[in-house]
């Protein structure tokens, strides 16, 4: 079957009330744009690469009356538009994806969805450090919350004032409520530039660098 015929057929088969949710519930839920999920069974009729964000992919779907739902690959920024309806789709957890519908499928009109906006967090600031010969603990203040809520980690580098340089030492990721993070695996009596990094599915943002020089071996400083 030709592509335009399949699209027309899918549109004609659309049930007026696919979901049991009310329209108001639909507008305020995460059904519009769900992070870390993908639609399995989505029959794609259009795709593009280099889409800036999941919100941009959602906007493409909303502007295209043939689109029923979309999948977005966060790393490669591929946006896939499809016309498969809810009764044939399965929501599957996938941390590399975001997905959503063009409009509230519980409503019998063609009113478009109200998208939830996903944002990167504000940069951490006001860094300070306590240190030993092989580790440090970096305290900081958080910036504006991102959506979804971000996690925090510490990255220490030796060469150059750049958060993009390869990290030295080891730091785990911590929730927003944690305001001091340990980093281990450092060398004694060595100067580092340490950053606090706030990360969510939209992206990562670094603090300004904090210069940290570890203690000499066996010395408290």
């Amino acid at each position: 079957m030709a592509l335009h015929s399949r699209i027309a057929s899918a549109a004609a088969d659309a049930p007026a009330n696919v979901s049991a949710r009310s329209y108001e519930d639909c507008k305020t839920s995460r059904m519009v744009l769900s992070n870390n999920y993908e639609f399995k069974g989505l029959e794609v009729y259009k795709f593009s690469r280099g889409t800036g964000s999941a919100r941009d992919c959602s906007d493409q779907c909303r502007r295209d009356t043939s689109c029923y739902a979309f999948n977005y690959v966060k790393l490669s920024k591929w946006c896939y538009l499809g016309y498969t309806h809810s009764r044939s789709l399965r929501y599957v957890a996938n941390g590399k994806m975001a997905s959503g519908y063009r409009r509230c499928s519980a409503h019998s009109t063609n009113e478009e969805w109200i998208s939830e906006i996903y944002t990167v967090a504000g940069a951490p600031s006001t860094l300070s450090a306590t240190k030993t010969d092989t580790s440090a603990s970096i305290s900081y203040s958080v910036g504006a919350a991102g959506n979804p809520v971000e996690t925090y980690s510490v990255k220490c580098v030796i060469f150059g004032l750049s958060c993009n340089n390869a990290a030295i030492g080891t730091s785990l990721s911590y929730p927003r409520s944690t305001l001091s993070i340990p980093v281990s695996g450092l060398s004694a009596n060595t100067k580092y530039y340490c950053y606090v990094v706030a990360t969510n599915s939209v992206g990562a943002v670094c603090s300004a660098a904090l210069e940290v020089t570890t203690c000499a071996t066996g010395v408290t400083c």
Side-chain angles (χ1 to χ4, degrees), residues 36-37 100 126 138 201 221:
N36 298 325
Y37 283 88
T126 324
I138 309 298
S201 60
C221 61

Side-chain angles (χ1 to χ4, degrees), residues 15-66:
N17 191 4
V18 179
S19 172
R21 291 174 179 259
S22 70
Y23 183 56
E24 289 303 315
D25 181 40
C26 185
K27 286 198 300 183
T28 57
S29 75
R30 287 176 176 259
M31 290 173 64
V32 181
L33 178 57
S34 295
N35 189 42
N36 298 325
Y37 283 88
E38 67 168 311
F39 282 124
K40 289 291 188 182
L42 182 67
E43 190 167 2
V44 175
Y45 70 90
K46 183 188 293 185
F47 56 90
S48 60
R49 189 175 187 181
T51 305
S53 67
R55 175 63 185 271
D56 293 333
C57 186
S58 172
D59 287 344
Q60 285 187 32
C61 184
R62 294 208 316 272
R63 290 192 298 265
D64 188 337
T65 56
S66 297

Side-chain angles (χ1 to χ4, degrees), residues 1-13 43 45 66 83 85:
M1 184 184 296
L3 176 60
H4 67 275
S5 298
R6 293 202 305 270
I7 294 173
S9 175
D13 291 341
E43 190 167 2
Y45 70 90
S66 297
Y83 52 74
H85 290 272

Side-chain angles (χ1 to χ4, degrees), residues 159-210:
F159 301 107
L161 287 170
S162 174
C163 191
N164 295 322
N165 289 350
I168 307 296
T170 302
S171 167
L172 300 177
S173 293
Y174 292 85
R176 180 177 170 83
S177 58
T178 303
L179 300 178
S180 182
I181 296 177
V183 55
S184 59
L186 306 179
S187 298
N189 198 28
T190 302
K191 181 190 292 184
Y192 294 91
Y193 299 98
C194 294
Y195 303 84
V196 176
V197 185
T199 305
N200 65 8
S201 60
V202 182
V205 59
C206 293
S207 68
L210 174 69

